[in-house]
Amino acid sequence: MSIIVDKVNYVYSAGTAYEIKALDDINLKIEDGEFIGIIGHTGSGKSTLIQHLNGLIKATSGSIYFHGQDIYDKKFDLRELRNRVGLVFQYPEHQLFETTIFDDVCFGPMNQGLDKNEAGLRAFEALRQVGIPEDLFYQSPFDLSGGQKRRVAIAGVLAMKPEVLILDEPTAGLDPGGRDEILDLITRMHRERGMTVILVSHSMEDVAKYVNRIIVMNQGRVMFDDVPKEVFKHYKELEAVGLAAPQVTYLMHELRDRGLNVDTDITTIAEARAAIMKAVLGGKH
Amino acid sequence: MLRDITIGQYYPADSVIHKLDPRVKLFGTLIYVISLFCIKGVVGFVVATFFMAGMIALSKVPFKFMVKGLKPIMILMLITALFNLFLTPGDVLVSFWVLEITKEGVQNAVLMTIRLIYLILGTSVMTLTTTPNQLTDGLEKSLRPLNKIKVPVHAIAMMMSIALRFIPILIEETDKIMKAQMARGADFENGNMLKRIKNMIPLLVPLFVSAFRRADDLAMAMEARCYSGGAGRTKMKPLTYVKRDYIAYAVIIVYLLLSLLCGRI
């Protein structure tokens, strides 16, 4: 039992003319080691929700429990929570500030109270994990390419060794190569370190390929919360709220309509390939 | 947290004052402010009070929004009043240790306090009923004659409107970077003065970088749309005077004459 979100509501600018209800009665249970995708249209409350999970935003009402402890309890140490729940914001490269890449990645571990050597070790390890070559370590972060900057920023959070890693649109604005690198890196973190990963995205392809549970947000509410196959069965409803199923799912429906006997519950290209081969070759095998 | 700060205090409402040409409001406010410092007697202040009360009533902005503007200058008002009270030479009323309160001192203190309050209330009628963009438009058009003596009026107005436009963007950006650094364990609230200033570096460096990046992007986008300064540039909504603006000018001039006539009484 890792994180429990219990009846959480959040209202922006409460009591003024600009009042917006960003979260509306959210109930979630996030177990250790899960790989979760949160999808939703702009303004659906997904970014607001993840900022609740490490206590950056305090819910207007409701409670959040981390390993059974109420994070709004006066005795609860929010900084400790932020050490254990790492949050990578959208466009994280905008937060780089140090003179060298290495120092920037050390910022998190140093704030955790580690000494220089230990923080350095953590930074070294994290930078290697994200695939930054060693000869770049002592350069200014502002000289890197966009994709590299983003990987450095992610390393800055990984160096804190969080148990839960939350990423807000980590692939926004990257080219396909950069996108795959980041997503593969995240998958590796999940598989090798057993980290709980929460990935916020609006790309169905990314989400379907990597995660094992999808939470769909719409207008501050949880609309669906299930494994990808089940969620994408509702592709018509997803379309109604401005989302969509992965393109292969549509392809499979189209093939089915045209008379090819394929499974339509398919969400990734690999699965689609297998299903089509099976249907085409059919009994010949 | 930072989201709650509002700069530029425009209060949207459907009133005659809102609809007036910004140039009229600028001119009217100027006249009003000058009159406040010419008025020396009770009758003059009665005239000013009626004028201001009339404008507030017409603007349909709740009075409590006007009063809000007074809060930040409370201290300033208090200091001004105290200085006037104790440091004006004249007939001594009360004497206390080295401090002396004179008859003229009391008069000056009261006069200054009333002037300051009226000044803030009067100018907030303008800022509450005019959007920052309308204001810069009005300024640009009123100051256009200065072009003849090589003052870059258009450039100044454009800089003003861009600066105003960027305030909310930079506030949002600050909020975002602050949260991102807090997620990395940064602490902006504890520690002594020196430590706190040092802790601001992770916030300020990215903020400056982002401000320069945005400025660069904006300049590029403007150039891509062939922006080349004020020469020959037309407006989508050019400012033109209509009947209510002439009436407003007439009212302002009547007020000016009245306050000059009654100012000394």
Side-chain angles (χ1 to χ4, degrees):
Chain A
M1 196 169 39
S2 177
I3 302 174
I4 295 174
V5 179
D6 185 30
K7 297 196 193 80
V8 162
N9 286 286
Y10 186 73
V11 185
Y12 274 114
S13 320
T16 69
Y18 305 104
E19 189 175 300
I20 303 164
K21 192 156 196 182
L23 293 181
D24 186 1
D25 194 31
I26 304 283
N27 294 290
L28 291 171
K29 205 180 256 183
I30 295 161
E31 306 285 345
D32 282 337
E34 275 195 289
F35 195 164
I36 298 175
I38 299 182
I39 59 176
H41 208 252
T42 316
S44 61
K46 43 191 197 327
S47 293
T48 311
L49 172 64
I50 57 168
Q51 288 178 42
H52 277 81
L53 299 182
N54 74 348
L56 280 175
I57 299 183
K58 191 176 186 297
T60 311
S61 70
S63 20
I64 294 172
Y65 300 92
F66 182 69
H67 289 309
Q69 280 177 292
D70 185 352
I71 70 164
Y72 297 139
D73 190 12
K74 279 199 185 74
K75 280 176 241 149
F76 191 85
D77 185 2
L78 275 178
R79 286 187 69 185
E80 179 60 26
L81 175 71
R82 286 174 199 150
N83 289 340
R84 296 168 73 178
V85 181
L87 176 56
V88 179
F89 273 81
Q90 209 168 350
Y91 295 104
E93 59 273 26
H94 293 173
Q95 76 195 21
L96 302 174
F97 69 97
E98 274 287 4
T99 43
T100 70
I101 291 169
F102 193 76
D103 285 346
D104 204 284
V105 177
C106 284
F107 180 66
M110 295 286 270
N111 283 331
Q112 283 176 305
L114 298 179
D115 63 40
K116 245 198 159 99
N117 285 332
E118 209 162 335
L121 279 175
R122 293 270 196 98
F124 194 81
E125 191 191 344
L127 280 168
R128 270 231 306 254
Q129 272 167 345
V130 299
I132 298 290
E134 262 170 66
D135 54 318
L136 291 179
F137 280 17
Y138 298 101
Q139 292 202 6
S140 162
F142 299 105
D143 292 338
L144 298 176
S145 75
Q148 283 174 325
K149 272 190 205 167
R150 187 161 303 177
R151 278 186 281 151
V152 170
I154 293 175
V157 174
L158 285 179
M160 297 172 76
K161 297 214 175 199
E163 295 164 34
V164 181
L165 181 64
I166 307 172
L167 302 109
D168 192 355
E169 301 268 11
T171 60
L174 290 185
D175 55 35
R179 188 190 64 199
D180 289 346
E181 273 175 26
I182 298 273
L183 289 172
D184 286 341
L185 164 75
I186 296 163
T187 318
R188 222 168 51 231
M189 288 294 111
H190 172 245
R191 213 175 36 226
E192 289 167 10
R193 286 216 205 159
M195 235 180 229
T196 310
V197 178
I198 301 173
L199 177 68
V200 176
S201 180
H202 61 249
S203 159
M204 300 308 132
E205 264 71 23
D206 295 353
V207 169
K209 193 169 155 196
Y210 295 99
V211 306
N212 43 40
R213 173 178 164 195
I214 292 180
I215 295 167
V216 182
M217 300 277 301
N218 183 40
Q219 295 184 336
R221 289 172 162 273
V222 173
M223 194 178 173
F224 298 111
D225 178 2
D226 214 326
V227 295
K229 261 190 185 15
E230 292 302 314
V231 170
F232 290 130
K233 270 185 189 167
H234 302 279
Y235 70 102
K236 291 242 162 74
E237 282 131 293
L238 288 176
E239 274 173 18
V241 297
L243 297 167
Q247 283 169 10
V248 278
T249 309
Y250 289 96
L251 179 72
M252 299 318 267
H253 278 280
E254 189 86 356
L255 287 172
R256 179 89 178 223
D257 292 345
R258 301 271 177 102
L260 191 67
N261 187 21
V262 289
D263 191 359
T264 51
D265 289 354
I266 272 162
T267 55
T268 66
I269 293 173
E271 284 172 8
R273 184 173 181 273
I276 294 172
M277 292 305 274
K278 199 176 134 204
V280 173
L281 300 173
K284 284 177 198 165
H285 257 303
Chain B
M1 37 186 138
L2 283 167
R3 207 179 280 266
D4 299 328
I5 300 172
T6 50
I7 297 176
Q9 31 174 354
Y10 181 66
Y11 181 93
D14 182 29
S15 80
V16 189
I17 305 278
H18 281 76
K19 281 187 204 136
L20 278 182
D21 190 293
R23 285 170 291 173
V24 182
K25 286 188 260 190
L26 277 168
F27 178 71
T29 312
L30 188 69
I31 293 293
Y32 173 75
V33 170
I34 291 171
S35 77
L36 280 183
F37 285 90
C38 296
I39 293 171
K40 290 221 158 54
V42 180
V43 183
F45 276 110
V46 171
V47 173
T49 310
F50 270 108
F51 181 66
M52 188 179 70
M55 291 306 131
I56 292 174
L58 279 176
S59 73
K60 291 188 188 164
V61 178
F63 189 62
K64 70 169 192 209
F65 276 87
M66 312 255 165
V67 181
K68 248 190 208 168
L70 287 175
K71 265 186 210 153
I73 63 142
M74 243 7 169
I75 304 269
L76 180 73
M77 259 169 15
L78 205 70
I79 293 171
T80 319
L82 286 179
F83 266 87
N84 275 299
L85 195 60
F86 290 118
L87 298 178
T88 317
D91 304 337
V92 178
L93 286 181
V94 193
S95 168
F96 166 76
W97 188 39
V98 291
L99 301 169
E100 286 177 339
I101 296 177
T102 60
K103 195 176 148 219
E104 285 79 4
V106 175
Q107 264 178 4
N108 275 350
V110 172
L111 211 62
M112 266 332 262
T113 313
I114 293 179
R115 267 185 194 148
L116 277 175
I117 293 176
Y118 276 36
L119 189 80
I120 298 294
L121 288 180
T123 45
S124 56
V125 172
M126 179 179 75
T127 51
L128 283 163
T129 59
T130 323
T131 62
N133 277 336
Q134 282 177 322
L135 266 184
T136 42
D137 261 10
L139 266 180
E140 185 183 351
K141 202 150 185 186
S142 328
L143 297 180
R144 193 166 286 173
L146 292 180
N147 261 332
K148 291 214 174 71
I149 52 164
K150 299 262 157 76
V151 178
V153 175
H154 172 79
I156 292 169
M158 183 56 96
M159 280 191 320
M160 265 176 74
S161 42
I162 290 175
L164 288 168
R165 175 69 192 85
F166 268 66
I167 289 169
I169 291 179
L170 288 179
I171 288 179
E172 209 171 289
E173 190 86 18
T174 313
D175 193 43
K176 216 192 91 182
I177 297 169
M178 227 166 147
K179 278 182 178 162
Q181 304 298 24
M182 275 161 80
R184 294 212 284 163
D187 186 356
F188 296 112
E189 276 140 21
N190 300 312
N192 59 31
M193 202 58 162
L194 201 71
K195 196 154 184 288
R196 269 200 217 188
I197 293 173
K198 241 183 110 188
N199 287 350
M200 291 301 263
I201 294 172
L203 171 64
L204 292 178
V205 173
L207 194 62
F208 271 97
V209 172
S210 132
F212 278 109
R213 192 188 56 240
R214 280 177 194 281
D216 227 24
D217 287 352
L218 182 69
M220 195 91 86
M222 284 168 81
E223 267 181 8
R225 291 169 201 182
C226 304
Y227 177 77
S228 55
R233 193 174 162 81
T234 54
K235 289 224 181 278
M236 185 170 159
K237 289 176 189 161
L239 293 175
T240 41
Y241 287 127
V242 292
K243 201 172 145 201
R244 63 168 167 265
D245 297 314
Y246 294 115
I247 297 173
Y249 271 129
V251 172
I252 292 166
I253 287 164
V254 169
Y255 165 74
L256 178 66
L257 292 176
L258 266 178
S259 65
L260 284 180
L261 282 175
C262 316
R264 303 275 154 190
I265 316 167

